[in-house]
Amino acid sequence: MERLQIPDKHRYALRALLLGMGTAAVIFVPFMLYDKGYFLFYGDFNVQQVPFYQMCHDTIRSGNWRWSWTTDLGANFIGSYSFYLLGSPFFWLTIPFPSAAVPYLMGPLYILKFGCACMTGCIYLRRYCQTGNLAVLGGMLYAFSGFSVYNVFFNHFHEAIVFFPLLLWAMDEYMYHRRRGVFAFFTFVCCFVNYYFFVGQVVFLALYWLVRFFSGEPHYAKITKKDFALLWVEAVLGVACSFALLLPTLLAITQNNRINNPSNGWNALLYDSNQRYMHILSCFFFPPDLPARANFTPDSNSQWASLGAWLPLFSMSGVIAALQAKTKRWYKTLITVLFVMAAVPVLNSAFQLFNASYYARWFYMLTLIMSLCTVTSLQREDVDWGRAIRWTLAITLVIGLSIGLMPSVTTNSDDNTKVTTYGLEKYPTRFWAYVSIALVSLLLLVIVFKYYKHHKQFFLRMATGGVALISVIYSLFYITTGKTQSDDTHNEIIPYALNGGADIHLPSDGKQFCRIDVYDGMDNLPMYWKRPTIQAFHSIVPGSIMDFYPTVGVTRDVASRPDVSVYAIRSLLSCRWLFDPINHGQEFIDSSTNQPRMPGWSYYTTQNGSKIYENQYFIPMGFSYDQYITRSEYDLLPEANRSLALLKALVVEDTDVQKAKEGGLTHFDKIDSTNYTEDRYFADCKKRAATACSSFTTDNLGFTAKATSAKERLIFFSVPWESGWSAEVNGSPAEIVKVNVGFMAVKVPAGESTIRFTYSTPGLKPGVAVTAVSFVLLGGYLYATDTTGRWRRKKLPAPPKTSN
């Protein structure tokens, strides 16, 4: 049989894919075997990535993709999950599989992602490498950098790592060969996959183009005005093609108060923690710290910042070699600019629209250029690798020994004696393990370099194998260490979460909509069970939720975790059941009083690893009031009384007083001096429950409720207010009134009424229209500009070798 011939450019990309997947398999398969087929980690990965994947998978398959009832108090599904999953082709690979299979796919998808990152890194680097094997080595460095391994914690970050090299490759294709369409296509892909990372990619692309232009790069510096204009046309068309997802997302995230946090003052010029500078420096010379477990710099306030950039085996030696070489290269200028930007807060924040919250989530782009510096230095004659490795070793030792052996004197509070300790790190055993890995990596590099001058092919094989070996070693250590930070995997997640709540059977199931509470349990546990909840760990929810919670004394930044002190909102939000996980956290019963930690709750049963308590003052969805107060009056109440006041009177915006009166409400004149005791709370709950709708059912388009009333009234629903909602009462359009600081009410007449709320994702239809038109325009652009037929490369002169 004739052997299949694979073109050179595809052969090395395929080799990189398989090598990356093989290395990743060695890393992930042992953990999958240990976790009975699943891949579970700790922290955010367990409580966000896994349940989000399964919930979104089930949502898409069921067609219920407009409004998510299991995300916090309810959320715009597209707006909330476009950041996490909806643009990811890896997520869409799960759709043909049944729901129960999705958690088992997390590990295989990671293996595929690492392999794809290796391949796309190789594709970009191949242009600058004299051999394909050198590009494969560069792809391995990029795919298994400290940034990639650190962000195993954040599953959805790897999509950006995979696709970004193709965006750079597409720009180079345009600039080197005037190849039409590929830049527009990959602009669309990167924007569609993840809008947050795309912002940083745009900044990086601008820097990349400007540095190469002003460095005199032949194919960049000599671009014509026409070709420059057409490059912009492709960029705009690429972004416009993503509007089907981008527009509804923008309309959703602009409600989030976390985006309005610009850098200013001294904090724009200097980091507020001096340890952060050391954290940034050390991340280039050592494997990454665990998120939330900063070790080298315990007080750098950089948890979850994605500070990782170490290149396995080579560390910073390739970068230092490139910077020390006398010959001018554009990437020397670019990487110098990037290092400066990493050190200046306002410049670092440019990669996230100048938001002052510290993140280094653009470092994957930096690691690609570091990989480029490394592999191109391996093919240059003006590079002194020995000096570069010595510099890398010296800096590694200085950082390691300074932190590891630095004396620190503290005063003993008991007897006022001085105590001297050595080492500034927080976890000494882990710290010295990191130092050892970094030093062993450099030692192996020295051994491999013995073959550099006289056995280049063998050197490349040894170097590639060394990168794979070190990647496996430090990744196994990193993931194992992370898994030791949580005992939830086998005690709770596998037996009681990943079973989908199959062992939970409550009398309300299938009969009555209600939310559940989890006391001191794992975040997002109800999402595993597909049950609505008041506890949620999710960064992107309706702005009305983020408006409501702070008014009752509940912090709402990345999660909704109302404390037991605001017990009244449980009844307000139709929360009937509370789960107290047996193997997690405190008990709901206070050991000092032997009573529940919230009034009005009683033990019901024990199921699925949790003691279950029932709210005896549960209020079904859709109830009404007799009185109202204005938002201004509500804001004047003591914070501790506001949640209780929400059960006494409906809060209307100051401009909606007339609507309240038309809804049959009278003003509550003495809301500031009324009784706020527990007994009064019980009585208020009973009053509200007596007015509740006889039925409340949700479906793929919204919800339907049935109510009977002796008079005209406003009915309140604890569903977050959003502009996408529309309402009908008895088939006629009805106005939705924003009430209770972020929820909805609608007026119904006397008698029996059918209330219908329908949700339409804001921006989705116009977004789809813009996408459709943009793809048509892109096709027209390709037809008009590619007159020689073909959407293939133009035969421009090859770039001189010195441009590498």
Side-chain angles (χ1 to χ4, degrees):
M1 181 181 292
E2 184 178 351
R3 186 177 179 180
L4 178 65
Q5 297 296 314
I6 302 176
D8 176 80
K9 62 181 180 180
H10 301 315
R11 178 158 52 95
Y12 289 107
L14 179 60
R15 182 177 299 175
L17 172 67
L18 296 177
L19 181 58
M21 290 182 64
T23 304
V26 175
I27 295 169
F28 287 99
V29 168
F31 296 108
M32 293 164 60
L33 294 175
Y34 175 73
D35 286 335
K36 303 179 181 180
Y38 304 107
F39 173 71
L40 298 168
F41 193 27
Y42 86 106
D44 291 19
F45 183 87
N46 292 348
V47 303
Q48 284 194 322
Q49 312 302 321
V50 179
F52 287 3
Y53 247 86
Q54 188 165 33
M55 189 277 288
C56 290
H57 166 275
D58 296 345
T59 295
I60 297 296
R61 283 176 60 110
S62 67
N64 190 16
W65 49 264
R66 291 170 178 80
W67 186 259
S68 172
W69 293 99
T70 55
T71 301
D72 211 297
L73 301 177
N76 173 346
F77 176 72
I78 292 176
S80 293
Y81 290 97
S82 57
F83 169 65
Y84 292 99
L85 293 171
L86 297 185
S88 168
F90 298 98
F91 162 70
W92 289 93
L93 290 176
T94 70
I95 298 302
F97 293 87
S99 176
V102 175
Y104 290 100
L105 296 175
M106 303 301 289
L109 285 176
Y110 253 138
I111 293 170
L112 179 60
K113 287 182 182 183
F114 272 90
C116 288
C118 187
M119 177 181 67
T120 58
C122 172
I123 290 171
Y124 168 72
L125 295 170
R126 182 67 182 92
R127 188 185 310 275
Y128 305 100
C129 295
Q130 294 172 355
T131 68
N133 285 327
L134 194 57
V136 172
L137 171 62
M140 286 288 290
L141 288 172
Y142 173 67
F144 292 93
S145 73
F147 185 90
S148 298
V149 173
Y150 177 109
N151 286 298
V152 167
F153 192 73
F154 297 114
N155 177 286
H156 55 295
F157 286 19
H158 283 258
E159 276 74 352
I161 298 171
V162 168
F163 290 103
F164 172 69
L166 297 179
L167 185 61
L168 281 193
W169 171 84
M171 174 171 275
D172 282 351
E173 278 291 288
Y174 185 93
M175 298 305 298
Y176 278 84
H177 306 290
R178 301 302 184 264
R179 188 173 180 180
R180 309 299 189 198
V182 291
F183 182 66
F185 176 74
F186 284 109
T187 298
F188 153 70
V189 168
C190 288
C191 186
F192 191 83
V193 165
N194 193 295
Y195 62 88
Y196 171 85
F197 288 102
F198 182 70
V199 170
Q201 291 165 4
V202 170
V203 174
F204 189 95
L205 274 179
L207 289 172
Y208 183 83
W209 194 94
L210 289 170
V211 166
R212 300 195 68 173
F213 178 82
F214 286 107
S215 295
E217 282 287 294
H219 294 308
Y220 277 78
K222 297 180 180 180
I223 188 172
T224 65
K225 292 181 179 178
K226 174 186 174 183
D227 285 327
F228 184 72
L230 291 179
L231 181 65
W232 272 98
V233 169
E234 292 207 16
V236 171
L237 284 176
V239 173
C241 285
S242 70
F243 258 50
L245 194 58
L246 183 61
L247 184 57
T249 296
L250 291 176
L251 294 177
I253 64 172
T254 50
Q255 305 174 38
N256 195 313
N257 54 30
R258 296 180 70 206
I259 68 173
N260 186 25
N261 183 27
S263 299
N264 62 85
W266 277 106
N267 287 334
L269 300 177
L270 297 171
Y271 291 117
D272 55 4
S273 170
N274 54 10
Q275 288 189 28
R276 187 171 297 161
Y277 291 99
M278 180 59 76
H279 196 167
I280 294 170
L281 178 63
S282 64
C283 84
F284 296 109
F285 292 89
F286 296 92
D289 271 344
L290 283 174
R293 299 289 188 274
N295 191 9
F296 282 64
T297 55
D299 299 315
S300 64
N301 297 318
S302 304
Q303 293 92 334
W304 307 286
S306 299
L307 264 172
W310 185 66
L311 298 185
L313 186 67
F314 285 86
S315 185
M316 284 290 285
S317 57
V319 177
I320 292 174
L323 292 174
Q324 290 178 336
K326 295 180 180 179
T327 308
K328 182 180 179 181
R329 293 291 189 271
W330 62 267
Y331 48 76
K332 289 174 59 176
T333 304
L334 177 60
I335 204 161
T336 301
V337 170
L338 295 175
F339 285 147
V340 170
M341 295 186 74
V344 180
V346 69
L347 299 180
N348 182 82
S349 69
F351 293 96
Q352 51 181 11
L353 282 182
F354 295 98
N355 190 293
S357 298
Y358 180 71
Y359 292 112
R361 291 176 176 172
W362 59 276
F363 273 26
Y364 65 98
M365 299 183 279
L366 176 56
T367 60
L368 182 60
I369 303 304
M370 289 167 59
S371 302
L372 173 65
C373 289
T374 302
V375 294
T376 53
S377 294
L378 287 172
Q379 63 190 18
R380 291 170 54 184
E381 300 298 328
D382 62 336
V383 169
D384 186 343
W385 272 97
R387 181 174 63 167
I389 293 173
R390 288 193 295 273
W391 269 95
T392 305
L393 176 61
I395 296 173
T396 302
L397 286 172
V398 168
I399 296 174
L401 296 178
S402 297
I403 294 175
L405 300 179
M406 182 66 66
S408 179
V409 180
T410 57
T411 302
N412 191 318
S413 58
D414 294 332
D415 55 12
N416 208 32
T417 58
K418 302 291 185 181
V419 178
T420 301
T421 57
Y422 292 90
L424 305 177
E425 71 280 4
K426 190 169 185 179
Y427 309 102
T429 303
R430 275 183 18 217
F431 172 81
W432 289 111
Y434 284 134
V435 173
S436 298
I437 291 172
L439 293 176
V440 168
S441 182
L442 288 174
L443 175 62
L444 181 59
L445 180 64
V446 170
I447 296 172
V448 169
F449 255 93
K450 290 182 179 296
Y451 305 96
Y452 175 59
K453 289 186 177 181
H454 305 295
H455 304 280
K456 286 292 180 68
Q457 289 303 316
F458 185 66
F459 165 78
L460 277 180
R461 288 196 293 269
M462 290 282 287
T464 305
V467 170
L469 175 63
I470 296 298
S471 297
V472 168
I473 290 172
Y474 96 91
S475 299
L476 288 174
F477 178 77
Y478 174 86
I479 296 173
T480 300
T481 305
K483 289 178 73 65
T484 63
Q485 304 304 304
S486 172
D487 60 358
D488 295 339
T489 301
H490 292 269
N491 290 337
E492 186 168 11
I493 297 176
I494 292 177
Y496 302 129
L498 290 172
N499 68 349
D503 297 328
I504 299 174
H505 305 285
L506 299 172
S508 58
D509 292 350
K511 301 175 183 178
Q512 182 184 59
F513 179 93
C514 61
R515 296 187 175 103
I516 68 173
D517 192 4
V518 177
Y519 180 72
D520 200 21
M522 187 180 79
D523 282 325
N524 291 334
L525 187 58
M527 186 176 285
Y528 279 102
W529 302 334
K530 304 176 180 63
R531 290 175 179 266
T533 179
I534 65 168
Q535 300 277 355
F537 177 26
H538 198 298
S539 301
I540 306 165
V541 295
S544 51
I545 292 177
M546 307 190 87
D547 291 339
F548 165 72
Y549 272 123
T551 69
V552 294
V554 177
T555 300
R556 206 334 170 166
D557 40 24
V558 298
S560 299
R561 302 184 182 108
D563 188 74
V564 293
S565 61
V566 285
Y567 56 85
I569 68 169
R570 271 72 178 180
S571 295
L572 177 79
L573 301 176
S574 299
C575 179
R576 181 173 177 180
W577 306 102
L578 181 144
F579 286 72
D580 182 14
I582 296 172
N583 295 328
H584 195 120
Q586 286 184 328
E587 290 190 12
F588 183 58
I589 298 298
D590 189 334
S591 59
S592 63
T593 63
N594 204 32
Q595 294 295 318
R597 296 180 188 270
M598 292 190 293
W601 291 80
S602 63
Y603 174 76
Y604 178 75
T605 189
T606 297
Q607 295 177 357
N608 203 55
S610 293
K611 295 179 181 178
I612 302 176
Y613 295 82
E614 184 175 10
N615 183 1
Q616 300 300 310
Y617 297 92
F618 163 71
I619 309 174
M621 286 287 284
F623 55 88
S624 63
Y625 296 78
D626 299 317
Q627 296 173 295
Y628 75 91
I629 59 172
T630 66
R631 176 64 186 276
S632 295
E633 292 170 321
Y634 173 81
D635 290 340
L636 290 174
L637 291 173
E639 189 177 86
N641 291 343
R642 290 176 189 165
S643 59
L644 293 162
L646 287 168
L647 291 168
K648 298 177 180 296
L650 186 71
V651 178
V652 298
E653 299 300 313
D654 292 359
T655 56
D656 289 336
V657 169
Q658 187 59 37
K659 296 175 184 176
K661 293 178 179 178
E662 292 173 357
L665 302 181
T666 60
H667 184 255
F668 198 126
D669 294 327
K670 297 181 179 180
I671 192 66
D672 56 342
S673 59
T674 191
N675 193 328
Y676 288 103
T677 63
E678 289 183 6
D679 288 340
R680 190 64 255 171
Y681 157 69
F682 297 150
D684 290 336
C685 289
K686 289 179 178 179
K687 282 186 178 180
R688 302 288 81 81
T691 67
C693 290
S694 57
S695 69
F696 179 94
T697 56
T698 64
D699 55 48
N700 290 359
L701 298 176
F703 65 87
T704 302
K706 294 186 180 296
T708 303
S709 177
K711 63 176 183 178
E712 191 173 62
R713 60 184 176 132
L714 279 172
I715 295 185
F716 162 76
F717 296 96
S718 59
V719 178
W721 184 92
E722 262 220 352
S723 60
W725 286 108
S726 61
E728 293 181 344
V729 175
N730 297 327
S732 299
E735 181 183 6
I736 299 174
V737 183
K738 187 176 181 179
V739 298
N740 284 354
V741 198
F743 299 103
M744 301 188 294
V746 67
K747 185 170 68 174
V748 300
E752 295 185 356
S753 297
T754 298
I755 306 163
R756 175 66 194 173
F757 274 68
T758 303
Y759 187 76
S760 179
T761 307
L764 180 60
K765 289 182 179 178
V768 170
V770 171
T771 290
V773 171
S774 298
F775 271 112
V776 171
L777 292 175
L778 180 58
Y781 160 81
L782 291 173
Y783 180 81
T785 58
D786 197 21
T787 54
T788 52
R790 327 82 62 200
W791 303 304
R792 294 195 297 268
R793 298 179 174 186
K794 290 187 177 181
K795 297 294 183 180
L796 297 180
K801 294 296 183 183
T802 56
S803 67
N804 288 346

